[in-house]
Amino acid sequence: MGKSKTTKFKRPQFNAVGLPVNAVKEADAHEEDDGGDTCPAAELLEKLQSPNPDMREFACASISRVVQQSQTIPGFIQRDAVRRLGPMLLDCSLAVRETAAGALRNLSACGGQEVCEDMVKHDVMTPLTALLRECCAGFESAAEPVKGQKNAAEDVANEAVNLLWNLCESSSQALSLFNKVGLLDMVTQCLERHPQNVELAISAAHCLHTVTEDNPELLCSVNTAVLGVLENVLLSSQPSMAHTLLRTLAAGTLWNMKGSLPAAGQAQTLNAVVATLSQCLHLDTGALIPELRRAEEVRHRNTPAADREEQAVGELVVEEMDEEEEEEAPKHKRNGKASRADGDFSDLLPGAKEELREATALLTAQQTSLEIIVNMCCSDDPSDDEWEEESSSDESDMAPDGLCDGLSNLMSPLCLSAEIHGALISHSIPEKVLKKTEFPRKEAMDVCHQNPSWRSLIKKMQRVQSRALTCLHSILSTMDAASLGGVAALQEAAQHLSTLVFGAAEIPKDEEFLEAVISAMRSLLQMIASKNIPQCMTPQQLMSLSEAATRCEVVSVRVNAVAILGITGSTLAKEKGTAEILQMIGNALLQVATKDTNLVVNGEALDALFDVFADGDEAETAAKNIQLLPALKALQPVFKAKIRKEGRGKYSPQQLCVLDNIRVNLRRFIGYLEKVVKK
């Protein structure tokens, strides 16, 4: 968090949780003296009133550390910590300003949405805005810093921008205030400091990427100066991973602002955005992470013994952060994305861990790039949980209360503009995304397993893979087969996805991975089926996938697995000698339609049954052998009653509309089967 301006708390760097290394020892000793059972909030908040700036700094830094333990946060909130810390943002001491901003930053990051909203309610935005205004004025008025030293105003601004980012991500009121009080220009000034201070610029870029998403009020105030700064960042050429992350965030912000780009240069700017994402995804994490770890080992060997104690403390703190991150539940999400890049606090890593910071920046940049591409491919269709693929029915009957109004809009296909489609293809985005869906390379995983402070990268590498699979699903939903390389490329992709799922002795149980890979597999199988390309899964694989999905708690995993059974079964029904496999598929779908606790999954299973057994001799034989007609007759009143009993309270109007369509189609399908039996 920067350098101290006092001798008492002098530190080359703050440790990972925002407290000077010496102060960590003092605070730990202090807690031991108190027996560690009492909440330190009262005493630390009292020290904020000290006339001694060193004591105020110590109190702020201690609060910054203590609130990392989420169980202490209520004690601070109950004692009006926000109202008491707020004035510290404008303290006469720069060191106090920095540590106060750091304390509020950690309080907002660790306290979640409720705490952020409470902070805004207690008017933290007023002193925060004033602080940022003073910091921006200080950028220009400060003397040229000595090489290797930071501008003090930049250190304070970095903490302030991170606090602002947290607040705007979690509080709509904070976002509204951001739009109205000129904060866009201030954060842009922080971004403009990228040649001098990339850490501050990255914080500003994260903030801009967040506040420009789905925020038309702000986009109305975007001017050419803001766009110029973002484009300058995009065209920068520094090779570090930190700068790669910076360019990626600038690309994402420009994509969010696409409607505000001048028409004359819009296509050129958006092409530069896609080129930036392509360059980021081209980087080979499997080779770079071991390389960065080796560089760290070389630096450690050359580090004087006197500095090793501080590095050891830093490594211990990183390990503790990793453990806490694994234990924490997913944080509040905005627009479907986990906040702070899924709990990424890499900017809090000690400066001595520069290689680890670089590795983390690389993985964050690639995850962000993939998320931006997903956004490029997205339209306003429902999410997986709301059935991205609506019922195959052509039934025009209305659900109760006109629930089907606007259904035609929901069923509009995803589409890309010609410019973006062309840019994605010309920069080989589909191929690069497919490459990122591979499992992380063994060498990189081994390096991270062997060093405790690098272990957090394992989850980050796995998350990049999951984001790549989600991205592949989006690409498959928006591009035609020819754009993706034709039949051979689709078959190769299908074989690759099958290997990801079935390559090991057991199907992976990680829900995030399963959700992403099954979603991608469904999209790919739909495209393959539409082109009459032979399927790549064996019956045994199909059944094992169905069983694994049935045990998964994530609804979209079960929905997509059922859809895959339907897609595969309807293709097999056109071939000779497939009755036995169709019986297996039919029984599996009946089980899901009857026993799954979620109506959406029940409906998807019925819809799949309609597709599989709609036509053909093999389907007729299989339907007779599994007693499909009596099974559906028994299920019909149960399904109808379940919709009536559970539907209104638990499901959206769109879901209810589709479920009612399926109810009507079930009646029709039973009539069709009765005619088949009479033949």
Side-chain angles (χ1 to χ4, degrees):
M1 289 188 189
K3 297 174 183 279
S4 172
K5 305 301 178 289
T6 66
T7 54
K8 184 173 181 181
F9 295 112
K10 185 174 182 180
R11 65 226 183 263
Q13 290 286 337
F14 271 94
N15 73 22
V17 292
L19 189 65
V21 172
N22 290 336
V24 169
K25 298 173 184 174
E26 289 184 39
D28 286 344
H30 186 71
E31 287 174 11
E32 287 172 11
D33 291 342
D34 287 346
D37 295 327
T38 59
C39 175
E43 185 178 352
L44 290 175
L45 291 171
E46 189 64 31
K47 284 182 168 66
L48 293 177
Q49 308 306 315
S50 171
N52 184 340
D54 289 352
M55 184 56 70
R56 297 198 300 276
E57 181 190 2
F58 172 78
C60 289
S62 298
I63 292 169
S64 181
R65 172 182 177 271
V66 172
V67 297
Q68 296 270 340
Q69 305 297 319
S70 58
Q71 69 270 19
T72 68
I73 291 176
F76 282 94
I77 297 298
Q78 290 160 11
R79 290 171 175 81
D80 220 9
V82 175
R83 197 183 298 276
R84 295 165 80 172
L85 277 166
M88 300 290 103
L89 293 174
L90 299 173
D91 194 275
C92 57
S93 162
L94 277 179
V96 174
R97 291 185 179 197
E98 182 182 345
T99 49
L104 286 165
R105 169 192 179 180
N106 286 358
L107 189 61
S108 66
C110 301
Q113 182 177 8
E114 188 176 344
V115 170
C116 287
E117 289 177 345
D118 186 68
M119 293 172 81
V120 177
K121 180 182 174 183
H122 285 88
D123 198 28
V124 77
M125 291 290 286
T126 297
L128 178 58
T129 301
L131 174 62
L132 273 170
R133 188 173 286 114
E134 290 189 22
C135 288
C136 290
F139 294 161
E140 303 306 326
S141 61
E144 190 68 27
V146 178
K147 187 174 182 181
Q149 287 187 351
K150 289 182 181 178
N151 180 326
E154 291 175 353
D155 290 342
V156 179
N158 187 50
E159 297 299 330
V161 169
N162 272 281
L163 171 58
L164 180 63
W165 171 24
N166 292 345
L167 294 175
C168 289
E169 191 164 46
S170 297
S171 165
S172 58
Q173 188 180 351
L175 192 62
S176 178
L177 288 168
F178 185 101
N179 295 343
K180 293 170 182 171
V181 298
L183 280 162
L184 175 62
D185 290 335
M186 295 181 218
V187 178
T188 302
Q189 280 184 261
C190 294
L191 177 63
E192 203 168 8
R193 303 295 293 175
H194 67 92
Q196 296 87 8
N197 190 329
V198 70
E199 183 182 355
L200 171 61
I202 287 173
S203 299
H206 270 299
C207 186
L208 288 173
H209 190 215
T210 294
V211 299
T212 55
E213 186 174 15
D214 298 331
N215 188 359
E217 182 185 354
L218 179 66
L219 298 186
C220 292
S221 61
V222 171
N223 54 44
T224 54
V226 173
L227 295 174
V229 172
L230 286 163
E231 288 171 357
N232 284 339
V233 171
L234 207 63
L235 298 173
S236 62
S237 58
Q238 293 93 328
S240 75
M241 298 303 103
H243 282 90
T244 297
L245 173 58
L246 180 64
R247 287 189 288 271
T248 300
L249 291 166
T253 304
L254 283 166
W255 173 255
N256 291 342
M257 293 178 168
K258 58 187 177 296
S260 302
L261 296 173
Q266 186 183 55
Q268 183 179 357
T269 300
L270 293 180
N271 186 67
V273 164
V274 176
T276 299
L277 305 180
S278 177
Q279 290 160 10
C280 175
L281 294 177
H282 184 71
L283 296 171
D284 184 357
T285 54
L288 286 170
I289 287 175
E291 185 180 307
L292 286 164
R293 175 61 186 139
R294 286 192 292 271
E296 182 183 66
E297 290 173 339
V298 170
R299 183 173 55 78
H300 279 181
R301 285 197 294 269
N302 297 329
T303 298
D307 295 333
R308 287 176 186 162
E309 181 184 351
E310 184 176 337
Q311 288 190 9
V313 171
E315 293 206 9
L316 177 62
V317 170
V318 172
E319 290 176 44
E320 291 172 352
M321 290 175 69
D322 294 343
E323 290 170 6
E324 289 170 11
E325 185 180 333
E326 288 177 9
E327 292 170 4
E328 285 182 357
K331 297 190 182 298
H332 166 68
K333 293 188 177 185
R334 180 171 185 268
N335 297 328
K337 293 192 297 186
S339 62
R340 289 196 62 89
D342 301 291
D344 175 24
F345 295 96
S346 58
D347 51 329
L348 295 178
L349 290 169
K353 306 294 296 181
E354 58 192 67
E355 294 85 4
L356 179 55
R357 289 173 69 106
E358 281 281 276
T360 305
L362 167 61
L363 292 170
T364 303
Q366 295 200 337
Q367 177 183 329
T368 305
S369 294
L370 292 162
E371 290 170 350
I372 294 167
I373 296 167
V374 169
N375 289 343
M376 289 178 169
C377 295
C378 277
S379 71
D380 295 328
D381 64 324
S383 67
D384 282 341
D385 288 349
E386 295 181 341
W387 284 355
E388 65 201 20
E389 297 294 334
E390 302 294 348
S391 168
S392 60
S393 166
D394 60 357
E395 176 63 44
S396 60
D397 290 6
M398 293 288 285
D401 301 329
L403 287 173
C404 284
D405 285 344
L407 182 61
S408 59
N409 291 331
L410 293 172
M411 298 179 69
S412 298
L414 299 175
C415 58
L416 286 171
S417 70
E419 292 82 4
I420 294 299
H421 181 279
L424 292 174
I425 296 299
S426 66
H427 291 288
S428 305
I429 292 294
E431 293 88 340
K432 289 176 181 178
V433 169
L434 186 63
K435 182 72 175 172
K436 292 298 172 188
T437 64
E438 295 175 359
F439 285 116
R441 198 178 302 175
K442 184 178 183 301
E443 184 185 0
M445 294 287 279
D446 289 346
V447 159
C448 296
H449 274 299
Q450 290 160 9
N451 189 286
S453 60
W454 286 63
R455 281 180 194 154
S456 65
L457 298 189
I458 295 171
K459 184 64 178 174
K460 295 180 192 303
M461 285 189 281
Q462 291 168 338
R463 184 164 287 126
V464 167
Q465 182 194 24
S466 293
R467 291 295 189 276
L469 287 162
T470 301
C471 191
L472 179 62
H473 160 70
S474 296
I475 288 171
L476 289 166
S477 300
T478 54
M479 293 188 181
D480 57 27
S483 299
L484 297 170
V487 172
L490 292 177
Q491 286 178 317
E492 186 179 338
Q495 190 57 52
H496 168 65
L497 292 183
S498 293
T499 302
L500 291 182
V501 177
F502 305 112
E506 291 186 353
I507 291 179
K509 294 182 174 64
D510 180 78
E511 289 183 350
E512 186 176 10
F513 171 80
L514 262 183
E515 185 173 15
V517 75
I518 291 180
S519 177
M521 188 174 284
R522 173 181 178 175
S523 295
L524 183 57
L525 290 176
Q526 281 175 325
M527 183 174 283
I528 284 175
S530 70
K531 299 295 177 185
N532 294 319
I533 301 170
Q535 300 284 350
C536 59
M537 281 196 290
T538 66
Q540 292 74 23
Q541 289 176 334
L542 200 61
M543 291 302 107
S544 64
L545 177 64
S546 175
E547 289 167 12
T550 301
R551 294 191 295 269
C552 183
E553 293 183 4
V554 180
V555 170
S556 64
V557 169
R558 305 203 302 274
V559 166
N560 283 322
V562 164
I564 287 171
L565 286 176
I567 294 164
T568 306
S570 60
T571 301
L572 291 171
K574 300 170 187 175
E575 301 174 11
K576 295 292 184 183
T578 57
E580 188 175 343
I581 302 174
L582 294 177
Q583 288 173 215
M584 293 168 56
I585 292 173
N587 280 323
L589 290 172
L590 277 174
Q591 281 284 101
V592 175
T594 306
K595 296 185 177 179
D596 198 283
T597 57
N598 188 284
L599 261 175
V600 168
V601 183
N602 299 148
E604 186 73 44
L606 285 170
D607 210 34
L609 280 167
F610 304 157
D611 289 339
V612 173
F613 295 97
D615 192 25
D617 294 340
E618 298 295 329
E620 287 181 19
T621 302
K624 183 179 178 181
N625 290 344
I626 64 171
Q627 298 291 298
L628 182 59
L629 177 58
L632 291 180
K633 280 186 173 181
L635 178 58
Q636 185 181 22
V638 177
F639 184 65
K640 184 177 179 180
K642 201 172 178 182
I643 293 175
R644 186 181 298 113
K645 183 179 179 181
E646 300 178 15
R648 295 286 176 182
K650 293 174 61 175
Y651 302 97
S652 71
Q654 292 86 358
Q655 289 172 326
L656 286 174
C657 181
V658 177
L659 286 167
D660 195 69
N661 253 348
I662 292 170
R663 177 187 61 79
V664 172
N665 282 351
L666 176 57
R667 186 187 69 230
R668 289 181 163 191
F669 190 67
I670 288 172
Y672 160 74
L673 289 178
E674 287 174 337
K675 290 178 183 176
V676 170
V677 169
K678 291 176 183 177
K679 283 199 306 183

